[in-house]
Every structure is written in C-alpha cells, then in structure tokens.
Amino acid sequence: MTNEHDAWTSFFQTGSVLDYLQYKSIQKAKEAAYNANKSNSEVKDEVFDNGTDTKATEYR
C-alpha cells in the first residue's frame, strides 16, 4: 500500500479513476483509524445539533 501523498501524485499524473479510488480508500482508512482512536467520553460528549434551529438555551 502506498501513502496518501504517493496515491494523490499517481492520480494527478495519470488522471485514472482507479488511482483516485485508491487515494480515497487510503484517506477513508486514515479517517476511520482516527475515529477509532477517539476516547469514548469524547464521542459521548459530542453535540449533534446540525443547526436544526432548536433552542438549547433561552436568553432573557
């Protein structure tokens, strides 16, 4: 397996869809490894509001 930089360089030079897919595969694997290393408390404390316009606190 190559690293992310080498995969991008290969795609940049060839323009091949297969090279791009290899690059994205490496990128997603790095992201999955990063997320797996997050502590449980960090994941538990995340707030998933997504800007749905809900009021968490009312200021008066």
Side-chain angles (χ1 to χ4, degrees):
M1 178 182 267
T2 62
N3 65 25
E4 187 176 3
H5 181 271
D6 291 342
W8 175 257
T9 302
S10 179
F11 165 67
F12 183 74
Q13 290 175 347
T14 65
S16 168
V17 172
L18 292 176
D19 288 338
Y20 179 75
L21 292 175
Q22 181 179 14
Y23 165 73
K24 289 305 284 184
S25 174
I26 293 169
Q27 218 178 29
K28 287 194 180 276
K30 282 177 63 177
E31 183 179 312
Y34 171 76
N35 288 335
N37 289 331
K38 279 186 171 181
S39 68
N40 288 338
S41 64
E42 185 178 347
V43 172
K44 183 184 78 173
D45 292 338
E46 288 185 21
V47 177
F48 298 101
D49 187 7
N50 297 334
T52 56
D53 205 22
T54 58
K55 289 187 177 182
T57 305
E58 184 177 328
Y59 295 100
R60 295 179 186 202

